[in-house]
Amino acid sequence: MLREDFIYPEGIYLDGNSLGLASRSSIKTIENRLKEWQTLAVNGWTSWFGLSESLSADLAKLVGAMPEEVIATGGITANLHALLATFYKPTDTKKYIVATTLDFPSDLYALQSWTQHYGTELRLISSRDGYTLTDEDIEEAFQDDVALILLPTVLYGSGQLLDIKRYAKLAQEKSIILGVDAAHSVGALTHAFHDWNVDFAVWCSYKYLNAGPGACGGIFVHEKHFHRIPALKGWWGHQKHTVFKMRPYFTHEPGAAAFQISTPSILALAGLEGSLEEFKKVNIIDIRKRSLELTTYLMELIAQHLPELEIITPRNEERRGGHVSVRHVHARLLSLALRERNIVPDYRSPDILRMAPVALYNTILELDETVHVLRELLDTKAYMKFQYQVTHIV
Ligand SMILES: Cc1ncc(COP(=O)(O)O)c(C=O)c1O
């Protein structure tokens, strides 16, 4: 859709769900901020102060929120800690945290930190097939003694999209706080965090938002929680217009901005500044349509030509994020062999090959070519030459 706006590497890039490609606008905004540093030095803060807040209106559109409900800050895990510190208040009768066995491990580490801190427990919803979750199993976990549930929008392994609207409703009925990890959906599909009544959400911007490696992540805090004072306070979450009065007590900035802690990396924000320009050129509804077109096509091709690969991503469009995952006992070797042929997929232990045809820059022809190369690799078993490397070196 906007391929020309991106600096496309040689070959075929299908790893935008891990690290999105550099857009020309992000390069430009990063260069501009670098130039400001070189020429203005500390005076650069006159334009850098409030930079995160200036991105909120555009960011909010991507997650279905009001501008004050979002802020670009930190990274997923750090943001999750900050939000858990505030939102997780276990009592004798409502004390457990629930997550799933298929969550990204760093989220689970963060949750464990807090259950260990309070001497409570983390309950994990397990998967029947090892790759996806059922509505019944998730709903079953919404028990009265649960204080907080964290769910991903899209599972990083299989690409399954969860029905967050449904779970947010259930959470409200049960007085459970629902937090969401939207790492694999922001920039790829539509959200309505405000209307769904999600309590809080975290995401990164180095995947589908294409803001650059380690770019500033984002948080959503529903307006109904604006009265909450951040448990992890820092001067960047202080009311902006009085922060330089250097008062010894904390007065929080209204909205999600209160959850900022430290001075943000301006260069990490600059990448996001540019990438949000790209998202102003196309509607997120059209991005989702194109993404579904690409993933549907890829799954059809795989089913037709690569029967050795087991598709673990739901075929139902309403249950699918932006990537397609397949299972193969030699997934690791296949990923290395594809890379040798200048096709960049993604591998996740132990046997998942992930491919993300990104709406903004991938094409149908690239998917044809990828499947063609995979067929050849499976026929010739040429990928086996990486066996030694995988067993002895990595
Ligand atoms: C779903 C998910 N959650 C959390 C993380 C961790 O993100 P961060 O390194 O920004 O803390 C990642 C990283 O890729 C992820 O994919």
Side-chain angles (χ1 to χ4, degrees):
M1 291 171 104
L2 294 173
R3 190 175 168 102
E4 296 303 311
D5 287 11
F6 287 85
I7 299 163
Y8 202 90
E10 203 190 317
I12 298 175
Y13 192 75
L14 294 176
D15 209 359
N17 62 327
S18 183
L19 180 68
L21 291 180
S23 66
R24 293 180 204 284
S25 10
S26 286
I27 300 289
K28 198 163 132 213
T29 43
I30 292 169
E31 282 173 356
N32 284 347
R33 296 299 176 192
L34 261 179
K35 198 170 285 166
E36 285 177 340
W37 177 28
Q38 288 165 41
T39 54
L40 303 173
V42 77
N43 290 327
W45 278 109
T46 49
S47 65
W48 305 331
F49 192 70
L51 182 55
S52 294
E53 285 79 359
S54 75
L55 304 177
S56 294
D58 293 329
L59 209 48
K61 287 185 195 139
L62 297 178
V63 296
M66 305 188 316
E68 314 81 65
E69 289 176 315
V70 304
I71 194 75
T73 185
I76 294 180
T77 316
N79 287 337
L80 196 49
H81 277 296
L83 291 162
L84 288 169
T86 309
F87 283 89
Y88 181 47
K89 299 287 173 204
T91 63
D92 283 348
T93 51
K94 224 168 170 44
K95 58 181 168 191
Y96 298 104
I97 295 187
V98 167
T100 97
T101 51
L102 301 181
D103 289 343
F104 195 82
S106 196
D107 289 5
L108 298 180
Y109 306 155
L111 296 174
Q112 282 158 20
S113 308
W114 290 92
T115 50
Q116 279 161 14
H117 175 77
Y118 284 112
T120 55
E121 208 181 287
L122 174 62
R123 288 183 186 156
L124 295 180
I125 303 166
S126 51
S127 164
R128 299 181 191 194
D129 62 2
Y131 300 101
T132 56
L133 300 164
T134 64
D135 283 327
E136 298 90 289
D137 290 345
I138 297 177
E139 279 174 16
E140 169 73 23
F142 283 68
Q143 298 291 330
D144 291 333
D145 55 2
V146 172
L148 185 144
I149 298 188
L150 182 77
L151 290 174
T153 45
V154 173
L155 301 191
Y156 80 95
S158 65
Q160 181 188 10
L161 172 63
L162 301 186
D163 189 352
I164 296 300
K165 181 181 178 182
R166 170 176 180 164
Y167 303 130
K169 188 164 176 282
L170 196 53
Q172 257 210 316
E173 284 162 18
K174 296 267 183 182
S175 300
I176 295 171
I177 293 284
L178 181 75
V180 167
D181 178 341
H184 285 271
S185 58
V186 174
L189 48 99
T190 55
H191 308 74
F193 286 157
H194 177 88
D195 290 347
W196 295 342
N197 250 313
V198 165
D199 291 292
F200 70 81
V202 290
W203 61 89
C204 60
S205 50
Y206 43 76
K207 298 180 191 294
Y208 294 101
L209 285 184
N210 314 303
C216 224
I219 62 171
F220 162 87
V221 176
H222 198 283
E223 71 165 335
K224 66 187 174 188
H225 295 300
F226 283 1
H227 63 281
R228 290 182 189 248
I229 297 171
L232 299 192
K233 302 174 183 58
W235 77 317
W236 224 258
H238 191 281
Q239 195 181 54
K240 280 280 178 292
H241 70 274
T242 56
V243 66
F244 285 105
K245 293 199 185 299
M246 300 308 208
R247 291 173 181 150
Y249 52 88
F250 180 81
T251 311
H252 68 97
E253 181 75 356
F259 290 84
Q260 297 172 93
I261 297 177
S262 289
T263 313
S265 158
I266 295 305
L267 297 181
L269 277 173
L272 181 60
E273 230 186 322
S275 77
L276 288 173
E277 290 302 312
E278 294 300 319
F279 282 89
K280 281 194 224 167
K281 297 181 189 170
V282 248
N283 191 299
I284 189 71
I285 296 171
D286 294 329
I287 290 178
R288 172 62 168 163
K289 256 192 225 154
R290 172 67 175 163
S291 163
L292 284 173
E293 193 189 326
L294 291 169
T295 50
T296 302
Y297 185 72
L298 179 58
M299 291 203 285
E300 280 168 4
L301 279 187
I302 294 171
Q304 199 180 338
H305 301 288
L306 309 170
E308 299 93 328
L309 302 184
E310 181 195 345
I311 299 174
I312 56 169
T313 304
R315 302 295 276 270
N316 175 352
E317 293 194 343
E318 283 166 20
R319 285 308 170 103
R320 189 162 90 232
H323 67 271
V324 172
S325 302
V326 294
R327 223 184 118 207
H328 189 272
V329 61
H330 293 308
R332 175 94 177 106
L333 306 184
L334 281 169
S335 77
L336 293 171
L338 282 171
R339 278 173 192 244
E340 189 189 42
R341 303 279 292 266
N342 263 341
I343 298 176
V344 184
D346 194 74
Y347 162 76
R348 279 289 173 258
S349 178
D351 56 3
I352 302 178
L353 190 68
R354 296 190 305 186
M355 289 168 277
V358 173
L360 295 184
Y361 49 74
N362 285 118
T363 65
I364 288 280
L365 280 181
E366 288 178 326
L367 303 182
D368 287 333
E369 177 61 14
T370 302
V371 170
H372 176 74
V373 172
L374 271 169
R375 183 65 269 151
E376 201 181 299
L377 290 172
L378 288 164
D379 285 341
T380 58
K381 302 231 176 330
Y383 56 85
M384 288 308 287
K385 75 173 189 186
F386 291 100
Q387 178 82 62
Y388 181 84
Q389 180 183 328
V390 166
T391 331
H392 295 92
I393 305 174
V394 196

